[in-house]
Amino acid sequence: MRIVVLAGGIGGARFLRGLKQAAPDAEITVVGNTGDDIHLFGLKVCPDLDTVMYTLGGGINEEQGWGRTDESFTVKEELAAYGVGPEWFGLGDRDFATHVVRTQMLGAGYPLSAVTEALCARWQPGVRLLPMSDDRVETHVAIEVDGEQRAVHFQEYWVKLRASVDAKAIVPVGAEAAKPAPGVLDAIAEADVILFPPSNPVVSVGTILAVPGIREAIVAAGAPVVGLSPIVGDAPVRGMADKVLAAVGVESTAAAVARNYGSELLGGWLVDTVDAGAVADVEAAGIRCRAVPLMMTDVDATAAMAREALALAEELR
Ligand code: GDP
Ligand code: CA
């Protein structure tokens, strides 16, 4: 079975770990969000790709959900001693090495997809990890500070400001001119199942879908498309997805997120059992829906979610 997953960082990575357990023989291709990418200290950092790579490769800091296990921050401290920031982005010493290798390879002319493959040769994530695009896409967030409109990099909004101010708009800068990375469209066309993990629908899955050609390829693919709600009990399970949903005019409910994807894209949608009341709503929008436990408390619970998603896809076939 060939499965394609459009993944952000933590939600996507944790789901993938369960999916691998649920479908050990499947050929899984991950299309990763690169709209969160940022240049720091002259280095290219790809937070979502790295979260997937470290999580599946056994190098993730489990409690945090991002960054390396057994991490130290000497380089960051030394940079700060020179007055070189930003200090709000947590880049650890081990993590730095990944970004040095990536930046060096990009500088030598390799596209991001080839660089990602090279990094994965070390981590062996057990999936084919593709960036959504080799072209630079950077999500910016329009905010208002003291009555003045300002655009900040997504990481500045998310990590520095902790989404404490309302987002007026979310703009994946560069997306409209970006091309899907090599392999992305073929994987979608050849997929038996396409899954949207419980990743952020706006700044993770939404950004991937903003790369021209990807949404169209999914709609055109014969495979059933099933998503899992990142919103449980009318709030994100983790993080501030409600803030970016509000910016695109979508309520923070499992049903509203499904409707926003729409029945053209989505064939099936899983909501958590606490949102069982939303099932009828989602089905009224032409999307088949089931209520099942959606908390990724451990790998077994996550594997059960993945099995439910695959079962729903089977029904849709
Ligand atoms: P990010 O790039 O690190 O923000 O990660 P993703 O975009 O892949 O996933 C973020 C989303 O995962 C958030 O909106 C959370 O609500 C969702 N999430 C995290 N843990 C869980 C969980 O256990 N269950 C569900 N259903 N969603 C989760
Ligand atoms: Ca992310």
Side-chain angles (χ1 to χ4, degrees):
M1 183 169 41
R2 284 163 298 193
I3 306 175
V4 169
V5 181
L6 307 193
I10 300 178
R14 289 195 171 155
F15 175 75
L16 283 162
R17 199 154 53 174
L19 178 65
K20 277 175 63 185
Q21 180 175 309
D25 300 325
E27 208 180 280
I28 301 171
T29 300
V30 179
V31 179
N33 170 44
T34 55
D36 291 15
D37 293 7
I38 184 166
H39 288 81
L40 293 170
F41 314 110
L43 301 175
K44 166 91 162 172
V45 180
C46 301
D48 284 0
L49 293 180
D50 289 349
T51 296
V52 170
M53 185 173 78
Y54 293 155
T55 301
L56 300 184
I60 199 78
N61 177 322
E62 287 291 341
E63 296 78 56
Q64 245 173 213
W66 54 270
R68 289 293 315 281
T69 181
D70 197 17
E71 189 58 291
S72 54
F73 290 87
T74 308
V75 174
K76 192 180 171 213
E77 282 160 26
E78 289 293 315
L79 287 163
Y82 284 111
V84 174
E87 286 191 54
W88 47 264
F89 201 90
L91 278 193
D93 299 330
R94 292 183 190 279
D95 201 16
F96 256 108
T98 302
H99 313 313
V100 169
V101 174
R102 173 184 292 123
T103 307
Q104 200 169 29
M105 285 189 73
L106 289 170
Y110 291 96
L112 183 62
S113 49
V115 174
T116 304
E117 191 180 344
L119 294 171
C120 285
R122 170 182 175 194
W123 290 102
Q124 297 288 315
V127 299
R128 186 157 67 116
L129 177 59
L130 304 175
M132 64 190 198
S133 178
D134 279 336
D135 302 320
R136 183 166 168 175
V137 178
E138 226 174 63
T139 302
H140 286 200
V141 181
I143 56 172
E144 206 177 277
V145 186
D146 304 325
E148 241 177 80
Q149 290 266 359
R150 201 152 77 82
V152 294
H153 189 287
F154 172 73
Q155 297 297 350
E156 186 171 343
Y157 182 70
W158 207 248
V159 181
K160 185 182 181 193
L161 300 173
R162 306 229 123 267
S164 56
V165 292
D166 288 344
K168 305 281 177 201
I170 313 288
V171 185
V173 178
E176 67 291 343
K179 288 180 296 297
V184 169
L185 296 182
D186 288 342
I188 292 169
E190 291 161 10
D192 297 306
V193 180
I194 298 169
L195 298 178
F196 295 178
S199 280
N200 191 306
V202 181
V203 293
S204 292
V205 180
T207 309
I208 300 169
L209 293 171
V211 176
I214 295 187
R215 176 190 291 272
E216 295 78 356
I218 293 172
V219 171
V225 182
V226 171
L228 299 92
S229 180
I231 305 293
V232 171
D234 301 343
V237 175
R238 198 190 152 111
M240 297 82 64
D242 49 323
K243 289 294 197 140
V244 289
L245 279 166
V248 297
V250 177
E251 255 186 294
S252 274
T253 67
V257 171
R259 277 196 302 269
N260 184 54
Y261 281 132
S263 60
E264 197 198 358
L265 195 62
L266 212 55
W269 186 242
L270 294 179
V271 300
D272 189 81
T273 43
V274 305
D275 296 313
V279 170
D281 258 21
V282 176
E283 297 218 316
I287 299 162
R288 187 124 16 139
C289 186
R290 299 279 178 275
V292 299
L294 286 190
M295 298 303 285
M296 299 190 282
T297 42
D298 56 35
V299 181
D300 288 345
T302 312
M305 287 164 53
R307 277 192 294 273
E308 292 286 0
L310 294 174
L312 185 52
E314 207 48 53
E315 265 184 55
L316 291 165
R317 202 177 294 286

